[in-house]
Amino acid sequence: MKAQLNLLITVVAVLLVTNIKAQQTAPMNLSLKQAQEYALANNANMKNAKLDIEIAKKKIWETKAMGLPQVSAKGSYQHIFKVPVLSFPSTAISNERGQTTFSASPIGAAGDSVYLNMAAGAPIELGVKDNATLEFNVSQLIFSGEYIVGLQATKVFFQISQNSLQQNTEDMKETVANSYYMIMVVEKNKEILEQSYGNLAKTLMDMKEMNKQGFIEDTDVDQIELTLHVLENGIKTLENQVTAAYDLLKFQIGLPFETELKLTEELDNVISESDLATIISKKFQVENNISYKMMENQEEVGILNLKRQKSAYLPSLAAFYMHTEKAQQADFDFTMKDIAGLSLQVPIFSSGMRNVMVKQRVMELDKIRNSKAYVAQGLELDFINSRNTLTSAYDKYLNEKRNIELTERIYNKTLIKYKEGVSSSMEVTTAQNQYLTAQTNYFTALYSLVSSKNKLEKLLNIQD
């Protein structure tokens, strides 16, 4: 029974380990949208941008709290090695019987009925040897122009954080999309090269047989074998490019390098699913562009800086209350337990410093507005160029697509002619190189097309 139990435990453990390993080695399937969403959730820059939003929220409350009641307490302990003393002179008074008496001098303001009940000339201690003091302070800002401007600035600061997050989001989506498409293009190119390699390898075997029978020369076989080696080197190069492209995408989306990744999109659907004509025909609205929104934030900051500088001309008013408690009270102590009051600060004269600082803020605001207009014009130019680039890229893509079909037909016909003894091996090699060059140009044009589309969509702020 015990042996059967041990066997059952062993089987269960093996199944669990096998299941865990299977889960760890299972590839992660990602569409383009899933890859972008994964990057937005796991990329380090995106995490920091989201933390900036939370920091901005805390900053708003920090600024608000400056205008709310402030309460503080302070405790202290002191030891006086030698307590100072004070002696008061006595006053001699003769009564009706001729006897002399002594009366201590009064202490306090006029009209007070406070007398020291002690012997004439007795010393008075002005403190206590050991004492503890507790101070309780309450303050409240009543009016401050700088504080009011600070509250307005927190809202702008929050908007800047939000726009920064949006900008990072758009940049991340574009970057991931370009890397995603790059992998698809390189993999497709590698796939076609492998097919060409297989076809050429079969042709080489046939030519070797023909060479053995004396139908073709050794040079013809060597020429085809040389082309086959070139294809083999090209495939190895593309394999390295695919690995590097996958690692780049994993880095961008925040995925561990050891994780196996599989893309689920089809390259043939990239262009057919995108309505390029609609994208090209869209009207550019600069106010929707995130770069322009960031410039608007800078302008708002400049306006607030000007307001803050002008607020230096205004007075500030605050109220306060302080309560003090001592563990031991000295006989002679002027400390007041409760104090309340107002504090008013009025700027009067600064030798023109405030005036020139206001003028500086005005000029800084003018600079920001000039930059804002420059950015708007630059974005308009960028849109025009991007739209023209996309149009040209689409035309080039169509031409290269036709070229690859033509070169493939030429290569196949040349190969047939060569087997029939009509064409030479050099012609086969030339047709093969033309076909490979057309493939390279086609995939280059395809990647240029999708990257141009991504850039234009980003400028137009087209959301998925």
Side-chain angles (χ1 to χ4, degrees):
M1 183 67 181
K2 184 176 181 181
Q4 293 177 349
L5 181 60
N6 291 336
L7 178 61
L8 179 60
I9 294 174
T10 302
V11 172
V12 171
V14 170
L15 290 175
L16 287 175
V17 172
T18 304
N19 186 38
I20 292 174
K21 288 184 177 180
Q23 292 178 355
Q24 290 176 346
T25 58
M28 185 176 185
N29 300 326
L30 287 179
S31 65
L32 174 59
K33 186 175 182 180
Q34 289 172 335
Q36 291 172 332
E37 291 175 350
Y38 193 93
L40 296 181
N42 297 279
N43 181 271
N45 292 332
M46 294 306 305
K47 291 180 179 179
N48 289 338
K50 292 175 183 177
L51 286 175
D52 287 338
I53 294 289
E54 299 302 319
I55 292 174
K57 293 178 180 179
K58 305 302 180 185
K59 190 68 177 178
I60 292 175
W61 178 251
E62 176 189 346
T63 305
K64 287 181 178 179
M66 294 172 61
L68 300 177
Q70 307 292 314
V71 181
S72 64
K74 182 177 72 173
S76 63
Y77 165 80
Q78 66 178 15
H79 171 77
I80 302 177
F81 290 94
K82 186 176 181 181
V83 179
V85 296
L86 180 64
S87 298
F88 287 90
S90 59
T91 303
I93 303 175
S94 298
N95 55 21
E96 295 177 353
R97 299 177 182 180
Q99 298 174 338
T100 303
T101 60
F102 296 88
S103 174
S105 301
I107 299 177
D112 291 346
S113 301
V114 181
Y115 288 87
L116 292 176
N117 187 15
M118 58 182 65
I124 302 173
E125 291 187 346
L126 300 181
V128 293
K129 195 174 186 63
D130 294 282
N131 203 353
T133 305
L134 177 64
E135 292 184 1
F136 182 78
N137 295 277
V138 180
S139 63
Q140 171 64 57
L141 182 65
I142 298 177
F143 176 79
S144 172
E146 190 171 359
Y147 172 72
I148 296 174
V149 176
L151 287 178
Q152 298 173 349
T154 57
K155 298 179 181 179
V156 178
F157 180 67
F158 184 70
Q159 291 175 358
I160 291 175
S161 301
Q162 287 182 315
N163 287 336
S164 178
L165 177 61
Q166 181 182 348
Q167 187 175 44
N168 285 320
T169 300
E170 293 180 3
D171 291 342
M172 182 55 60
K173 284 184 175 182
E174 181 187 18
T175 301
V176 170
N178 289 338
S179 298
Y180 195 98
Y181 290 139
M182 180 187 296
I183 294 175
M184 296 171 64
V185 167
V186 176
E187 282 188 328
K188 189 66 175 179
N189 196 5
K190 174 175 167 289
E191 179 184 337
I192 292 179
L193 279 186
E194 288 174 341
Q195 292 177 356
S196 299
Y197 180 85
N199 295 333
L200 193 61
K202 185 176 181 302
T203 301
L204 180 61
M205 292 177 60
D206 296 339
M207 294 179 67
K208 286 182 178 180
E209 292 296 327
M210 295 172 65
N211 176 254
K212 290 179 181 179
Q213 297 175 10
F215 293 107
I216 59 175
E217 299 180 357
D218 294 339
T219 306
D220 295 331
V221 176
D222 294 339
Q223 187 68 46
I224 298 300
E225 190 170 1
L226 177 62
T227 304
L228 194 66
H229 290 162
V230 172
L231 277 176
E232 185 177 2
N233 292 333
I235 292 172
K236 291 180 179 179
T237 301
L238 288 176
E239 287 176 349
N240 294 331
Q241 291 180 0
V242 169
T243 302
Y246 268 110
D247 289 340
L248 176 61
L249 180 60
K250 291 175 185 178
F251 172 75
Q252 290 170 346
I253 68 177
L255 192 67
F257 291 118
E258 60 272 13
T259 304
E260 184 181 355
L261 188 61
K262 183 178 180 181
L263 308 187
T264 60
E265 300 283 351
E266 293 292 337
L267 186 60
D268 297 334
N269 299 329
V270 170
I271 303 303
S272 61
E273 293 179 357
S274 303
D275 191 355
L276 299 179
T278 302
I279 297 175
I280 293 174
S281 63
K282 277 186 174 293
K283 183 179 179 182
F284 180 62
Q285 295 179 331
V286 68
E287 61 273 8
N288 293 333
N289 186 273
I290 188 60
S291 298
Y292 185 78
K293 291 180 180 179
M294 297 292 287
M295 289 304 304
E296 287 182 326
N297 291 147
Q298 291 189 27
E299 182 182 15
E300 291 176 356
V301 171
I303 293 173
L304 290 173
N305 283 335
L306 177 59
K307 286 184 177 180
R308 183 184 62 82
Q309 203 61 62
K310 289 181 177 180
S311 69
Y313 287 98
L314 302 176
S316 60
L317 179 63
F320 66 91
Y321 167 76
M322 182 175 66
H323 177 76
T324 305
E325 285 289 345
K326 291 185 176 181
Q328 299 186 56
Q329 195 75 23
D331 295 333
F332 196 76
D333 191 353
F334 285 101
T335 302
M336 301 178 185
K337 286 189 174 184
D338 297 284
I339 301 175
L342 296 174
S343 174
L344 178 65
Q345 184 177 359
V346 182
I348 298 176
F349 182 67
S350 65
S351 298
M353 180 181 66
R354 282 189 291 269
N355 183 43
V356 296
M357 292 183 71
V358 168
K359 290 182 179 179
Q360 288 180 54
R361 302 293 90 78
V362 170
M363 288 185 284
E364 289 173 357
L365 180 58
D366 290 339
K367 286 179 59 179
I368 293 174
R369 286 171 173 165
N370 292 337
S371 299
K372 177 185 172 185
Y374 180 78
V375 168
Q377 190 176 16
L379 289 171
E380 290 278 359
L381 179 61
D382 196 13
F383 167 72
I384 294 173
N385 291 335
S386 298
R387 184 175 57 184
N388 294 336
T389 301
L390 179 58
T391 303
S392 300
Y394 184 63
D395 293 337
K396 185 174 178 60
Y397 162 76
L398 294 178
N399 289 332
E400 296 299 341
K401 188 176 182 180
R402 288 190 291 267
N403 288 340
I404 199 173
E405 294 172 355
L406 290 173
T407 54
E408 185 178 12
R409 288 202 301 268
I410 292 173
Y411 170 68
N412 291 333
K413 290 180 180 179
T414 305
L415 193 60
I416 293 174
K417 290 180 179 180
Y418 178 77
K419 291 179 179 180
E420 295 175 350
V422 179
S423 62
S424 65
S425 61
M426 184 62 68
E427 291 176 331
V428 173
T429 302
T430 302
Q432 176 76 25
N433 291 334
Q434 286 179 342
Y435 179 51
L436 296 179
T437 301
Q439 288 179 356
T440 302
N441 293 338
Y442 168 75
F443 288 113
T444 301
L446 176 59
Y447 181 74
S448 177
L449 175 61
V450 294
S451 59
S452 300
K453 178 179 72 72
N454 293 336
K455 182 178 180 180
L456 187 58
E457 286 179 339
K458 177 183 174 182
L459 281 171
L460 292 170
N461 194 25
I462 297 176
Q463 304 294 332
D464 294 337

